[in-house]
Amino acid sequence: MERELEEQNRKFARRIIQTQEDNEPEPVVDIPSDTVVDLKEYGDGKLEKLYRSKKKEVIYTNGTRKILLPTGHVVLKFNNGDVRKTYPSGKVVYYYSQAKTRHTTYRDGVQIFEFESSQQVERHFPDGMKEIAFPDGTLKYIYPDGEEESIFADGTVQRGRP
């Protein structure tokens, strides 16, 4: 009985994500008074700029800009307003401009979805577990076996299957 209770407590334990990757500095794309030191134009219309800071920018014919920074960051800016940032740690942040949604993927497979319009934040874990935080303070956990747990702002806990 004690072992069963321990297993249930472990199953419903709260997961807190804090990784060193969350503390990584944002890439600095626009460096004041940075100047172009080399410019290459390719036959396909692609343009490549190398800056004094060692920043490299590739502008593709469709308008997409790829910026490679000496810090190891890579930033892709798309015509539709989407932006993809790759960090030296391997973390990738993709911002969907039209949907106003940020999707962060960590090296360990954890994915975080942040929805600006609803203020909802979801964490998806590699084992299939999902953690959803709602703006009213409610937390919902969906476990790989289908079990669900909701913890409401007033402390009420609801467990079950959908």
Side-chain angles (χ1 to χ4, degrees):
M1 180 70 171
E2 187 176 316
R3 187 170 213 172
E4 260 182 321
L5 186 58
E6 191 176 300
E7 175 63 27
Q8 190 173 23
N9 286 339
R10 187 176 60 75
K11 181 178 180 182
F12 291 111
R14 309 311 182 261
R15 295 199 187 198
I16 299 172
I17 304 171
Q18 283 188 334
T19 66
Q20 285 186 329
E21 295 169 356
D22 289 331
N23 297 322
E24 281 186 284
E26 281 292 309
V28 178
V29 175
D30 297 316
I31 301 165
S33 33
D34 201 8
T35 57
V36 176
V37 293
D38 192 26
L39 181 66
K40 293 179 185 172
E41 255 186 89
Y42 294 92
D44 62 359
K46 180 172 67 174
L47 186 65
E48 191 175 283
K49 297 178 183 180
L50 182 62
Y51 291 83
R52 187 185 62 199
S53 66
K54 304 292 185 221
K55 173 177 83 172
K56 181 179 177 181
E57 181 177 15
V58 181
I59 303 168
Y60 297 92
T61 54
N62 66 1
T64 298
R65 293 175 52 211
K66 183 178 186 177
I67 302 156
L68 299 101
L69 300 168
T71 56
H73 294 87
V74 178
V75 178
L76 279 164
K77 294 184 175 189
F78 300 95
N79 275 341
N80 64 358
D82 288 4
V83 178
R84 182 181 192 261
K85 298 176 185 176
T86 303
Y87 292 74
S89 68
K91 173 176 83 172
V92 176
V93 178
Y94 195 105
Y95 181 74
Y96 297 90
S97 178
Q98 189 172 13
K100 296 190 182 325
T101 300
R102 184 177 329 281
H103 177 194
T104 303
T105 305
Y106 294 93
R107 268 188 321 201
D108 63 3
V110 172
Q111 297 182 66
I112 299 177
F113 299 86
E114 299 169 85
F115 303 93
E116 279 183 36
S117 59
S118 66
Q119 303 284 306
Q120 180 175 313
V121 177
E122 296 185 11
R123 291 175 179 89
H124 295 203
F125 297 89
D127 66 0
M129 182 179 155
K130 295 178 183 174
E131 173 188 82
I132 304 166
F134 297 94
D136 67 358
T138 300
L139 290 174
K140 182 174 188 173
Y141 297 91
I142 303 170
Y143 297 94
D145 66 359
E147 190 80 23
E148 293 185 4
E149 176 185 36
S150 295
I151 303 166
F152 298 93
D154 66 1
T156 304
V157 177
Q158 179 181 0
R159 292 186 178 120
R161 295 193 178 276

